[in-house]
Coordinates of all heavy atoms in Angstrom, one line a residue:
M1 N 101.1 118.7 104.6 CA 100.9 117.3 104.5 C 100.2 116.7 105.7 O 100.4 117.1 106.8 CB 102.3 116.6 104.5 CG 102.3 115.1 104.5 SD 103.9 114.3 104.5 CE 104.7 115.0 105.9
K2 N 99.2 115.9 105.4 CA 98.4 115.3 106.5 C 99.1 114.0 107.0 O 99.9 113.4 106.3 CB 97.0 114.9 105.9 CG 96.0 115.9 105.9 CD 94.7 115.4 105.3 CE 93.5 116.0 106.0 NZ 92.3 115.5 105.4
M3 N 98.8 113.7 108.3 CA 99.3 112.5 108.9 C 98.0 111.7 109.2 O 97.0 112.2 109.6 CB 100.0 112.7 110.2 CG 101.2 113.7 110.0 SD 102.7 112.9 109.7 CE 103.0 112.0 111.1
C4 N 98.1 110.4 109.0 CA 97.0 109.5 109.3 C 96.7 109.6 110.9 O 97.6 109.4 111.7 CB 97.3 108.1 108.9 SG 96.0 106.9 109.4
I5 N 95.4 109.8 111.2 CA 95.0 109.9 112.6 C 95.1 108.6 113.3 O 95.1 108.5 114.6 CB 93.7 110.6 112.8 CG1 92.6 109.7 112.2 CG2 93.6 112.0 112.2 CD1 91.2 110.1 112.5
A6 N 95.1 107.5 112.6 CA 95.0 106.2 113.2 C 96.4 105.4 113.3 O 96.5 104.6 114.2 CB 94.0 105.3 112.4
C7 N 97.3 105.8 112.4 CA 98.6 105.1 112.5 C 99.8 106.1 112.4 O 101.0 105.7 112.7 CB 98.8 104.1 111.4 SG 99.0 104.7 109.7
G8 N 99.6 107.3 112.1 CA 100.7 108.3 112.0 C 101.4 108.4 110.7 O 102.4 109.1 110.5
M9 N 101.0 107.6 109.7 CA 101.7 107.6 108.4 C 101.5 108.9 107.7 O 100.4 109.4 107.6 CB 101.2 106.4 107.6 CG 101.9 106.4 106.2 SD 101.2 105.1 105.1 CE 100.3 106.1 104.0
P10 N 102.6 109.5 107.2 CA 102.5 110.7 106.4 C 101.7 110.3 105.1 O 101.9 109.3 104.5 CB 103.9 111.1 106.0 CG 104.8 110.3 106.9 CD 104.0 109.1 107.3
M11 N 100.7 111.2 104.7 CA 100.0 111.0 103.5 C 100.3 112.1 102.5 O 99.8 113.2 102.7 CB 98.5 110.9 103.9 CG 98.1 109.8 104.8 SD 96.4 109.6 105.2 CE 95.9 111.1 106.0
K12 N 101.2 111.8 101.6 CA 101.7 112.7 100.6 C 100.9 112.7 99.3 O 100.6 113.7 98.7 CB 103.2 112.5 100.4 CG 104.0 112.6 101.6 CD 105.5 112.2 101.3 CE 106.3 112.1 102.6 NZ 107.6 111.5 102.3
A13 N 100.6 111.5 98.9 CA 100.0 111.3 97.6 C 98.5 110.9 97.7 O 98.1 110.4 98.8 CB 100.7 110.3 96.8
K14 N 97.7 111.2 96.7 CA 96.3 110.8 96.8 C 96.1 109.4 97.1 O 95.2 109.0 97.8 CB 95.7 111.2 95.4 CG 94.2 110.9 95.4 CD 93.6 111.4 94.1 CE 92.1 111.2 94.1 NZ 91.4 111.7 92.9
E15 N 97.0 108.5 96.6 CA 96.9 107.1 96.8 C 97.1 106.7 98.2 O 96.8 105.6 98.6 CB 97.9 106.3 95.9 CG 97.8 106.6 94.4 CD 98.5 107.9 94.0 OE1 99.6 108.2 94.4 OE2 97.8 108.7 93.3
D16 N 97.7 107.5 99.0 CA 98.0 107.2 100.4 C 96.7 107.3 101.3 O 96.6 106.7 102.3 CB 99.0 108.2 101.0 CG 100.4 108.1 100.4 OD1 100.7 107.0 99.9 OD2 101.1 109.0 100.4
F17 N 95.7 108.1 100.8 CA 94.5 108.3 101.5 C 93.5 107.1 101.3 O 93.5 106.5 100.2 CB 93.8 109.6 101.0 CG 94.5 110.8 101.4 CD1 95.6 111.2 100.7 CD2 94.2 111.6 102.5 CE1 96.3 112.4 101.0 CE2 94.8 112.7 102.9 CZ 95.9 113.1 102.1
A18 N 92.7 106.9 102.3 CA 91.7 105.8 102.2 C 90.8 106.1 101.0 O 90.3 107.2 100.8 CB 90.8 105.8 103.4
M19 N 90.7 105.1 100.1 CA 89.9 105.2 98.9 C 90.4 106.3 97.9 O 89.6 106.8 97.1 CB 88.4 105.4 99.2 CG 87.8 104.4 100.2 SD 87.8 102.7 99.6 CE 86.4 102.7 98.6
G20 N 91.6 106.8 98.1 CA 92.1 107.9 97.3 C 91.4 109.2 97.6 O 91.5 110.2 96.8
D21 N 90.7 109.3 98.7 CA 89.9 110.5 99.1 C 90.7 111.4 100.0 O 90.8 111.0 101.2 CB 88.6 110.0 99.7 CG 87.6 111.2 100.1 OD1 88.1 112.4 100.0 OD2 86.5 110.9 100.5
E22 N 91.2 112.5 99.5 CA 92.0 113.3 100.3 C 91.3 114.1 101.4 O 91.9 114.7 102.2 CB 92.7 114.3 99.4 CG 93.7 113.6 98.4 CD 94.3 114.6 97.4 OE1 93.6 115.1 96.5 OE2 95.5 114.8 97.5
S23 N 90.0 114.0 101.4 CA 89.2 114.6 102.6 C 89.2 113.7 103.8 O 88.9 114.1 104.9 CB 87.8 114.9 102.2 OG 87.0 113.7 102.0
K24 N 89.7 112.4 103.6 CA 89.7 111.5 104.7 C 91.0 111.8 105.6 O 92.0 112.3 105.1 CB 89.8 110.0 104.2 CG 88.7 109.6 103.3 CD 87.7 108.8 104.1 CE 86.7 108.2 103.2 NZ 85.4 108.2 103.7
D25 N 90.8 111.5 106.9 CA 91.9 111.8 107.8 C 92.7 110.5 108.1 O 93.6 110.5 109.0 CB 91.4 112.3 109.1 CG 90.8 113.7 109.0 OD1 91.3 114.5 108.2 OD2 89.8 114.0 109.6
Y26 N 92.4 109.4 107.5 CA 93.2 108.2 107.7 C 93.6 107.6 106.4 O 93.1 107.9 105.3 CB 92.3 107.2 108.5 CG 90.9 107.0 107.9 CD1 90.7 105.9 107.1 CD2 89.9 107.8 108.3 CE1 89.4 105.7 106.6 CE2 88.6 107.6 107.8 CZ 88.4 106.5 106.9 OH 87.1 106.3 106.4
C27 N 94.6 106.7 106.5 CA 95.3 106.2 105.3 C 94.7 105.0 104.7 O 93.8 104.4 105.4 CB 96.8 106.0 105.6 SG 97.1 104.5 106.6
R28 N 95.2 104.5 103.6 CA 94.6 103.3 103.0 C 94.9 102.1 103.8 O 94.1 101.1 103.7 CB 95.2 103.1 101.6 CG 96.7 103.0 101.6 CD 97.3 102.9 100.2 NE 98.7 102.9 100.2 CZ 99.4 102.3 99.3 NH1 98.8 101.7 98.3 NH2 100.8 102.2 99.4
Y29 N 95.9 102.1 104.7 CA 96.2 100.9 105.5 C 95.3 100.9 106.7 O 95.2 99.8 107.4 CB 97.7 101.0 106.0 CG 98.6 100.9 104.8 CD1 99.4 102.1 104.5 CD2 98.7 99.8 104.0 CE1 100.2 102.0 103.4 CE2 99.6 99.8 102.9 CZ 100.4 100.9 102.6 OH 101.2 100.9 101.6
C30 N 94.6 102.0 107.0 CA 93.7 102.0 108.2 C 92.2 101.9 107.8 O 91.4 102.1 108.6 CB 94.0 103.2 109.0 SG 95.6 103.2 109.8
A31 N 92.0 101.7 106.5 CA 90.7 101.6 106.0 C 90.2 100.2 105.7 O 91.0 99.4 105.4 CB 90.6 102.4 104.7
R32 N 89.0 100.0 106.0 CA 88.4 98.7 105.6 C 88.1 98.7 104.1 O 88.1 99.8 103.5 CB 87.1 98.5 106.4 CG 87.2 98.4 107.8 CD 85.9 98.2 108.5 NE 86.0 98.1 109.9 CZ 85.2 98.8 110.8 NH1 84.3 99.6 110.4 NH2 85.4 98.6 112.1
P33 N 87.8 97.6 103.5 CA 87.5 97.6 102.1 C 86.4 98.5 101.6 O 86.4 99.0 100.5 CB 87.1 96.1 101.8 CG 87.9 95.3 102.8 CD 87.9 96.2 104.1
D34 N 85.4 98.8 102.6 CA 84.3 99.7 102.2 C 84.7 101.2 102.4 O 83.9 102.1 102.2 CB 83.1 99.4 103.0 CG 83.2 99.7 104.5 OD1 84.3 100.1 105.0 OD2 82.2 99.5 105.2
G35 N 86.0 101.4 102.9 CA 86.4 102.8 103.0 C 86.3 103.4 104.4 O 86.8 104.4 104.7
S36 N 85.6 102.7 105.3 CA 85.4 103.2 106.7 C 86.7 102.9 107.4 O 87.5 102.0 107.0 CB 84.2 102.5 107.4 OG 84.4 101.1 107.4
M37 N 86.9 103.6 108.5 CA 88.1 103.4 109.3 C 88.0 102.2 110.2 O 87.0 101.9 110.7 CB 88.4 104.6 110.2 CG 89.8 104.6 110.8 SD 90.2 106.2 111.7 CE 89.6 105.8 113.3
Q38 N 89.1 101.5 110.3 CA 89.2 100.3 111.1 C 88.9 100.6 112.6 O 89.2 101.8 113.0 CB 90.6 99.6 111.0 CG 90.9 99.0 109.7 CD 92.3 98.4 109.6 OE1 93.1 98.6 110.5 NE2 92.5 97.7 108.5
S39 N 88.4 99.7 113.3 CA 88.2 99.9 114.8 C 89.6 99.8 115.5 O 90.6 99.4 114.9 CB 87.3 98.8 115.3 OG 88.0 97.6 115.3
Y40 N 89.5 100.2 116.8 CA 90.8 100.2 117.6 C 91.3 98.8 117.6 O 92.5 98.6 117.4 CB 90.5 100.7 119.0 CG 91.6 100.6 119.9 CD1 92.5 101.6 120.0 CD2 91.9 99.4 120.7 CE1 93.7 101.6 120.8 CE2 93.0 99.4 121.5 CZ 93.9 100.4 121.6 OH 95.0 100.4 122.4
D41 N 90.5 97.8 117.8 CA 91.0 96.4 117.9 C 91.5 95.9 116.6 O 92.5 95.2 116.6 CB 89.8 95.5 118.3 CG 89.4 95.7 119.8 OD1 90.3 96.2 120.6 OD2 88.3 95.3 120.2
E42 N 90.9 96.3 115.5 CA 91.4 95.9 114.1 C 92.8 96.5 113.9 O 93.8 95.9 113.4 CB 90.5 96.3 113.0 CG 89.2 95.6 113.0 CD 88.2 96.2 112.0 OE1 88.1 97.4 112.0 OE2 87.5 95.4 111.3
K43 N 92.9 97.8 114.3 CA 94.2 98.5 114.1 C 95.3 98.0 115.0 O 96.4 97.8 114.6 CB 94.0 100.0 114.3 CG 95.1 100.9 113.8 CD 95.2 100.8 112.3 CE 96.7 100.6 111.8 NZ 96.8 100.2 110.4
L44 N 94.9 97.7 116.3 CA 95.9 97.1 117.2 C 96.4 95.8 116.7 O 97.6 95.6 116.7 CB 95.2 96.9 118.6 CG 96.1 96.3 119.6 CD1 97.3 97.2 119.9 CD2 95.3 96.1 120.9
E45 N 95.6 95.0 116.2 CA 96.0 93.7 115.6 C 96.9 93.9 114.4 O 98.0 93.3 114.4 CB 94.8 92.8 115.2 CG 95.2 91.5 114.7 CD 94.0 90.6 114.3 OE1 92.9 90.9 114.8 OE2 94.2 89.6 113.6
G46 N 96.6 94.8 113.5 CA 97.4 95.0 112.4 C 98.8 95.6 112.8 O 99.8 95.2 112.2
M47 N 98.8 96.6 113.7 CA 100.0 97.2 114.1 C 100.9 96.2 114.8 O 102.1 96.2 114.7 CB 99.8 98.5 114.9 CG 99.3 99.6 114.1 SD 99.1 101.2 115.1 CE 100.8 101.8 115.0
T48 N 100.3 95.4 115.6 CA 101.0 94.4 116.4 C 101.7 93.4 115.4 O 102.9 93.1 115.5 CB 100.1 93.6 117.3 OG1 99.6 94.5 118.3 CG2 100.9 92.5 118.0
D49 N 101.0 92.9 114.4 CA 101.5 92.0 113.4 C 102.7 92.7 112.6 O 103.7 92.1 112.4 CB 100.5 91.6 112.4 CG 99.4 90.6 113.0 OD1 99.7 90.1 114.1 OD2 98.4 90.5 112.4
F50 N 102.5 94.0 112.3 CA 103.6 94.7 111.6 C 104.8 94.9 112.5 O 105.9 94.6 112.0 CB 103.0 96.1 111.2 CG 104.1 97.0 110.5 CD1 104.4 96.8 109.2 CD2 104.7 98.0 111.2 CE1 105.3 97.6 108.6 CE2 105.7 98.8 110.6 CZ 106.0 98.6 109.3
I51 N 104.7 95.2 113.7 CA 105.8 95.3 114.6 C 106.5 94.0 114.8 O 107.7 93.9 114.8 CB 105.4 95.9 116.0 CG1 105.0 97.4 115.7 CG2 106.5 95.8 117.0 CD1 104.3 98.0 116.9
V52 N 105.7 92.9 115.0 CA 106.3 91.6 115.2 C 107.1 91.2 114.0 O 108.3 90.7 114.0 CB 105.2 90.5 115.5 CG1 105.8 89.1 115.4 CG2 104.7 90.8 116.9
R53 N 106.5 91.4 112.8 CA 107.2 91.1 111.5 C 108.4 91.9 111.2 O 109.4 91.4 110.7 CB 106.1 91.2 110.4 CG 106.5 90.6 109.1 CD 105.4 90.7 108.0 NE 105.0 92.0 107.7 CZ 103.8 92.6 108.1 NH1 102.9 91.8 108.7 NH2 103.5 93.8 107.8
T54 N 108.4 93.2 111.5 CA 109.5 94.1 111.1 C 110.5 94.3 112.2 O 111.7 94.7 111.9 CB 109.0 95.5 110.7 OG1 108.2 96.1 111.8 CG2 108.1 95.3 109.5
Q55 N 110.2 94.1 113.5 CA 111.1 94.3 114.5 C 111.5 93.1 115.3 O 112.4 93.1 116.2 CB 110.6 95.4 115.5 CG 110.3 96.7 114.8 CD 109.8 97.8 115.7 OE1 110.0 97.7 116.9 NE2 109.2 98.8 115.2
G56 N 110.9 91.9 114.9 CA 111.3 90.7 115.5 C 110.9 90.5 117.0 O 111.5 89.7 117.7
L57 N 110.0 91.3 117.5 CA 109.5 91.2 118.8 C 108.5 90.0 118.9 O 107.9 89.6 117.9 CB 108.8 92.5 119.3 CG 109.7 93.7 119.3 CD1 108.8 94.9 119.7 CD2 110.9 93.6 120.2
D58 N 108.4 89.5 120.2 CA 107.3 88.5 120.3 C 105.9 89.2 120.3 O 105.9 90.4 120.4 CB 107.5 87.6 121.5 CG 107.4 88.3 122.9 OD1 106.7 89.3 123.0 OD2 108.2 88.0 123.8
K59 N 104.9 88.4 120.3 CA 103.5 89.0 120.1 C 103.2 90.0 121.3 O 102.7 91.1 121.1 CB 102.5 88.0 120.0 CG 101.1 88.6 119.7 CD 100.1 87.5 119.2 CE 98.7 88.1 119.1 NZ 98.4 88.6 117.8
A60 N 103.5 89.6 122.5 CA 103.2 90.4 123.7 C 103.9 91.7 123.7 O 103.3 92.8 123.9 CB 103.5 89.6 125.0
A61 N 105.2 91.6 123.4 CA 106.0 92.9 123.3 C 105.5 93.7 122.1 O 105.5 95.0 122.2 CB 107.5 92.5 123.1
G62 N 105.2 93.1 121.0 CA 104.7 93.9 119.9 C 103.4 94.6 120.2 O 103.2 95.7 119.8
E63 N 102.5 93.9 120.9 CA 101.2 94.5 121.2 C 101.4 95.6 122.2 O 100.8 96.6 122.1 CB 100.3 93.4 121.8 CG 98.9 93.9 122.1 CD 97.9 92.9 122.5 OE1 97.9 91.8 121.9 OE2 97.2 93.1 123.5
N64 N 102.3 95.4 123.1 CA 102.6 96.5 124.1 C 103.1 97.7 123.4 O 102.7 98.9 123.6 CB 103.6 96.0 125.1 CG 103.7 97.0 126.3 OD1 102.7 97.5 126.7 ND2 104.9 97.1 126.8
A65 N 104.0 97.5 122.4 CA 104.6 98.6 121.6 C 103.5 99.3 120.8 O 103.4 100.5 120.7 CB 105.7 98.1 120.7
A66 N 102.6 98.5 120.2 CA 101.5 99.1 119.4 C 100.6 99.9 120.3 O 100.2 101.0 119.8 CB 100.8 97.9 118.7
R67 N 100.2 99.4 121.4 CA 99.4 100.2 122.3 C 100.0 101.5 122.7 O 99.3 102.5 122.7 CB 99.1 99.4 123.6 CG 98.1 98.3 123.4 CD 97.8 97.6 124.8 NE 97.1 96.4 124.6 CZ 95.8 96.3 124.4 NH1 95.0 97.3 124.4 NH2 95.2 95.1 124.3
G68 N 101.3 101.5 123.0 CA 102.0 102.7 123.3 C 102.0 103.7 122.2 O 101.8 104.9 122.4
M69 N 102.2 103.2 120.9 CA 102.2 104.1 119.8 C 100.7 104.7 119.5 O 100.5 105.8 119.3 CB 102.6 103.4 118.5 CG 104.1 103.0 118.6 SD 104.6 101.8 117.3 CE 104.2 102.7 115.8
M70 N 99.8 103.8 119.6 CA 98.4 104.2 119.3 C 97.8 105.2 120.3 O 97.0 106.0 119.9 CB 97.5 102.9 119.2 CG 97.8 102.1 118.0 SD 96.8 100.6 117.9 CE 95.2 101.2 117.7
E71 N 98.2 105.1 121.6 CA 97.6 106.0 122.6 C 98.0 107.5 122.3 O 97.4 108.4 122.8 CB 98.0 105.6 124.0 CG 99.4 105.8 124.4 CD 99.7 105.2 125.8 OE1 99.0 104.4 126.3 OE2 100.8 105.6 126.3
K72 N 99.1 107.7 121.5 CA 99.5 109.0 121.1 C 98.8 109.6 119.9 O 99.0 110.8 119.6 CB 101.0 109.0 121.0 CG 101.8 108.7 122.2 CD 103.2 108.5 122.0 CE 103.9 108.0 123.3 NZ 105.1 107.3 123.0
L73 N 98.1 108.7 119.2 CA 97.5 109.2 117.9 C 96.1 109.7 118.1 O 95.4 109.2 119.0 CB 97.5 108.0 116.9 CG 98.8 107.5 116.5 CD1 98.8 106.1 115.9 CD2 99.5 108.5 115.6
P74 N 95.7 110.8 117.3 CA 94.5 111.5 117.6 C 93.2 110.6 117.6 O 92.3 110.8 118.3 CB 94.4 112.4 116.4 CG 95.8 112.6 116.0 CD 96.5 111.4 116.3
A75 N 93.2 109.5 116.7 CA 92.0 108.7 116.6 C 91.8 107.9 117.9 O 90.7 107.5 118.2 CB 92.2 107.7 115.5
W76 N 92.8 107.7 118.7 CA 92.7 106.8 119.8 C 92.9 107.4 121.2 O 92.9 106.8 122.2 CB 93.7 105.6 119.7 CG 93.7 105.0 118.3 CD1 94.8 105.0 117.4 CD2 92.7 104.4 117.6 NE1 94.5 104.5 116.2 CE2 93.1 104.1 116.3 CE3 91.3 104.2 117.8 CZ2 92.3 103.5 115.3 CZ3 90.5 103.6 116.9 CH2 91.1 103.2 115.6
K77 N 93.2 108.7 121.2 CA 93.4 109.4 122.4 C 92.1 109.5 123.2 O 91.0 109.6 122.6 CB 93.9 110.9 122.2 CG 95.3 111.0 121.9 CD 95.7 112.4 121.9 CE 97.2 112.5 121.6 NZ 97.6 113.9 121.5
K78 N 92.2 109.4 124.5 CA 91.0 109.4 125.3 C 90.8 110.8 126.0 O 91.7 111.5 126.2 CB 91.0 108.3 126.4 CG 91.0 106.9 125.8 CD 91.1 105.9 126.9 CE 91.1 104.5 126.2 NZ 91.4 103.4 127.1

């Protein structure tokens, strides 16, 4: 089973992959409408919004948590 390199989501089914393309290393949630992978800033904004919405953190704390999660993922490691 592949894991999304940009958010860490397990990709089990074809529908989980960007554009349903199992050769992609990122998921449908990390893809732009044209199928390309979102930029770091786009993903950071999306992950921050998700954390704020699901964990009830304020935006600054959510962004800090998102940065911490993203720095461990292959797409964003330096």
Side-chain angles (χ1 to χ4, degrees):
M1 175 181 56
K2 278 181 145 179
M3 304 269 293
C4 175
I5 62 169
C7 74
M9 181 182 107
M11 298 186 295
K12 299 175 188 169
K14 184 175 181 176
E15 303 80 47
D16 295 334
F17 291 81
M19 311 293 282
D21 181 351
E22 295 175 293
S23 70
K24 302 260 189 217
D25 293 324
Y26 51 95
C27 73
R28 62 186 176 149
Y29 300 110
C30 295
R32 295 179 179 133
D34 69 358
S36 62
M37 192 173 90
Q38 295 177 347
S39 69
Y40 178 87
D41 289 339
E42 290 170 318
K43 195 67 224 166
L44 178 62
E45 183 178 342
M47 285 186 84
T48 299
D49 289 346
F50 177 77
I51 290 168
V52 166
R53 193 175 58 250
T54 59
Q55 297 182 21
L57 300 175
D58 64 33
K59 185 168 175 91
E63 185 173 316
N64 191 40
R67 284 184 193 279
M69 293 168 61
M70 289 176 69
E71 71 184 19
K72 296 173 185 155
L73 295 165
W76 317 117
K77 280 187 177 177
K78 295 179 181 172

